[in-house]
Amino acid sequence: MWFVFALITALFWGGSDLFSKMGTDPRDKYSHLRMVIMVGTVMGIHGLVMFCLHYQEFDPMSIIKYLPVAACYILSMAIGYIGLRYLELSVSSPVCNSSGAVAAILCFLFLGQTMSELQLVSVILVVLGVILLSVFDMKDENKARRFRGEVIEEKYTVSALAVSIPIIYCIIDALGTFGDSLVLDAWALMSEEEGEIAYEFTFFLCAVAAFIFLVFVKKQKFSLWEEREKGLGAICETAGQFFYIYAIADNGIMAAPLISSYCLFSVVLSRIFLKEKLTVRQYGAIALAGVGIVMMGALEGA
């Protein structure tokens, strides 16, 4: 079932990416905190529901045991939300979307997880499709900007900020995925449900801290209605997280690259709901990754 769970996760996270971008104001330097608040709130509500359903087998110490993994995910997501303010950072997408491949390599090197030759081919196709799509997006965006006579500020293209954000995101996110495979599968320290509850309660605490900092320290206004698009992104993020943890626990080395292809679904959703046009080569990159995804599904039992 890892394939079905991973595919559902990618779909939901593609929707989260779409709504998060729609709700991000490049002029608001606290936009990433607002996103953390919304995601943490929704996850806190879902975590409470999960706790009510599984409270008998939930060990409060799971929050401590899962904290390193949760910290990796939350930190990488916050960094990703900061990056959403800088559209020019699309040049870094190939690095960000390589986190699944990095996680798969870690699972292979340190956990002894393996895949067949055909499964390896399917992973390569997915990763290649993701990287090509990101590169094409970057080139098309820069071409459009030059056509409009816009000048891309150097600090957004070649500065330490532009270079460090995607690299840091990739490394931390990959470590989180690898940590999940350790905690839930290799070491079996807790069940998937316990990991889910621990993660969502931790994210809720981060949301509370972000809210206090934003509203009471920085004296910024916060309205749930004005953050409704971020709220939709938070709902999709939480729904994806629910299926993600089962996919990683079942087959981390295969699920991680598939889940990291959620950007493909984000592009397709943008085409459907935002009427954004795609070029032939973008469709080609999506099709290439699609072949890899279909291969993964066909080889699930391999």
Side-chain angles (χ1 to χ4, degrees):
M1 287 293 290
W2 69 266
F3 175 77
V4 175
F5 291 147
L7 196 57
I8 294 174
T9 298
L11 283 168
F12 273 120
W13 281 357
S16 175
D17 194 35
L18 172 67
F19 289 121
S20 298
K21 288 180 180 179
M22 290 172 59
T24 297
D25 183 359
R27 298 166 297 180
D28 181 11
K29 64 180 180 180
Y30 300 113
S31 182
H32 61 291
L33 292 180
R34 299 179 188 277
M35 193 67 210
V36 168
I37 293 170
M38 294 305 296
V39 174
T41 300
V42 174
M43 284 198 174
I45 295 172
H46 183 260
L48 182 60
V49 173
M50 291 284 291
F51 175 76
C52 292
L53 294 175
H54 301 280
Y55 70 93
Q56 291 180 331
E57 61 260 34
F58 180 74
D59 180 4
M61 284 301 296
S62 296
I63 297 178
I64 304 299
K65 294 177 182 177
Y66 199 75
L67 186 58
V69 180
C72 286
Y73 284 140
I74 295 171
L75 182 58
S76 65
M77 288 174 66
I79 291 172
Y81 295 146
I82 293 174
L84 289 177
R85 290 177 51 210
Y86 307 105
L87 298 181
E88 291 82 357
L89 289 178
S90 61
V91 67
S92 64
S93 291
V95 180
C96 290
N97 295 324
S98 298
S99 61
V102 174
I105 293 172
L106 292 175
C107 288
F108 172 76
L109 293 176
F110 297 103
L111 299 183
Q113 296 183 6
T114 59
M115 62 180 76
S116 67
E117 292 181 357
L118 287 177
Q119 286 176 324
L120 178 60
V121 171
S122 68
V123 169
I124 292 174
L125 289 176
V126 171
V127 174
L128 183 60
V130 168
I131 293 176
L132 286 176
L133 180 63
S134 301
V135 172
F136 295 156
D137 283 347
M138 177 268 293
K139 289 183 177 180
D140 291 339
E141 181 179 345
N142 287 344
K143 184 185 297 184
R145 288 179 179 276
R146 287 194 296 269
F147 179 78
R148 293 193 299 266
E150 297 180 14
V151 178
I152 301 176
E153 295 183 52
E154 184 179 3
K155 67 177 181 179
Y156 291 147
T157 55
V158 296
S159 69
L161 175 67
V163 174
S164 63
I165 282 182
I167 294 176
I168 293 173
Y169 173 91
C170 176
I171 293 174
I172 297 177
D173 186 66
L175 288 174
T177 303
F178 175 67
D180 252 336
S181 293
L182 278 176
V183 172
L184 300 177
D185 185 17
W187 295 345
L189 297 181
M190 64 189 73
S191 66
E192 289 85 351
E193 290 78 13
E194 284 185 291
E196 180 82 9
I197 296 170
Y199 173 64
E200 293 184 335
F201 279 177
T202 304
F203 213 133
F204 176 71
L205 293 176
C206 291
V208 173
F211 180 82
I212 293 174
F213 177 78
L214 181 68
V215 176
F216 296 103
V217 178
K218 292 300 181 179
K219 309 298 182 183
Q220 299 292 310
K221 293 182 179 180
F222 185 86
S223 169
L224 286 175
W225 176 250
E226 292 180 358
E227 309 298 341
R228 58 190 180 277
E229 290 175 334
K230 292 186 180 70
L232 291 173
I235 292 173
C236 289
E237 181 69 35
T238 304
Q241 178 64 32
F242 176 78
F243 293 99
Y244 166 85
I245 205 161
Y246 291 100
I248 291 297
D250 190 19
N251 191 349
I253 195 170
M254 290 294 293
L258 173 54
I259 292 171
S260 70
S261 71
Y262 71 87
C263 62
L264 300 171
F265 296 97
S266 176
V267 170
V268 174
L269 290 172
S270 297
R271 174 67 182 88
I272 296 173
F273 294 104
L274 301 182
K275 307 303 180 182
E276 294 183 355
K277 295 182 179 180
L278 300 180
T279 63
V280 173
R281 59 185 183 181
Q282 285 175 314
Y283 279 117
I286 293 173
L288 183 66
V291 172
I293 292 173
V294 170
M295 286 181 63
M296 283 185 179
L299 297 169
E300 180 179 0

